[in-house]
Amino acid sequence: MFQDLVAFVAQLQCTLLDIHTLLDYVEILHPLLASPPSKPVHANPTWMGCFTRNTKICEGLYFVGVPVWLVHNEEFIPLTMNIIHPVWLTFPDSIVRVMYSERGVRKPFPSIFHGPGSLLHHYHTHQCYEGTLAE
C-alpha cells in the first residue's frame, strides 16, 4: 500500500511539473525563440536548465535565458562561443539510493528503460499510475 501511495504522489508531481513546464514554455520561451533577442537575457534562477551536445541549440537557449550546459569535447567548441565556466563531469556520490520497503520486505520499482535518454524515450517510458490505493 505504501509503495502505491508513493507511486501515486510521484505521478501527480510529475504531471504537475509537466503542466508548469509547458505553461512556462508557451508564455516565456516560445515568444523569445520566435524572435531571438540581440543579446542574452538573464537566466531564470527557478529553471533547472538542460544539457545538450548541439552548439546551435546551446547558443539559442543561452540567448533566451535558459541555463544550459554544453556537453562537448573542448576541441570541438567554436571559438565564438562564450564559455562561462568549464566543468568536469563526475559521478554524483552524494545521491542516496534507497530501496522502498513494506513491512520489512524490499519492493524496488522496476527499471523501465536502460540507455541514452531523449524526448522520444521520455514519452515511451512515461506511464500513468495504474495501481489501487485501496486494498
Side-chain angles (χ1 to χ4, degrees):
M1 172 113 168
F2 178 72
Q3 186 178 8
D4 289 341
L5 182 61
V6 170
F8 176 75
V9 171
Q11 180 67 38
L12 176 65
Q13 289 175 331
C14 182
T15 302
L16 292 174
L17 285 172
D18 282 346
I19 292 168
H20 187 272
T21 302
L22 183 61
L23 291 174
D24 270 357
Y25 176 78
V26 169
E27 293 175 355
I28 301 168
L29 287 177
H30 184 67
L32 288 172
L33 289 169
S35 58
S38 59
K39 59 182 183 176
V41 176
H42 290 289
N44 187 332
T46 62
W47 291 343
M48 286 178 52
C50 65
F51 294 89
T52 183
R53 292 177 183 255
N54 188 315
T55 54
K56 292 205 182 291
I57 291 174
C58 181
E59 285 184 287
L61 292 173
Y62 171 73
F63 267 84
V64 297
V66 175
V68 61
W69 289 265
L70 178 65
V71 181
H72 230 29
N73 290 335
E74 194 172 345
E75 58 268 13
F76 297 117
I77 298 174
L79 296 175
T80 58
M81 183 168 277
N82 182 15
I83 304 296
I84 296 173
H85 183 69
V87 178
W88 289 100
L89 294 178
T90 58
F91 183 78
D93 292 327
S94 60
I95 294 177
V96 178
R97 298 177 189 160
V98 179
M99 306 285 264
Y100 289 102
S101 64
E102 260 182 53
R103 299 182 191 105
V105 178
R106 290 184 180 187
K107 293 187 175 182
F109 293 106
S111 294
I112 297 171
F113 176 78
H114 294 283
S118 69
L119 185 61
L120 184 61
H121 290 137
H122 172 75
Y123 286 127
H124 284 290
T125 59
H126 192 267
Q127 48 188 308
C128 291
Y129 178 69
E130 296 176 357
T132 60
L133 291 177
E135 290 186 352

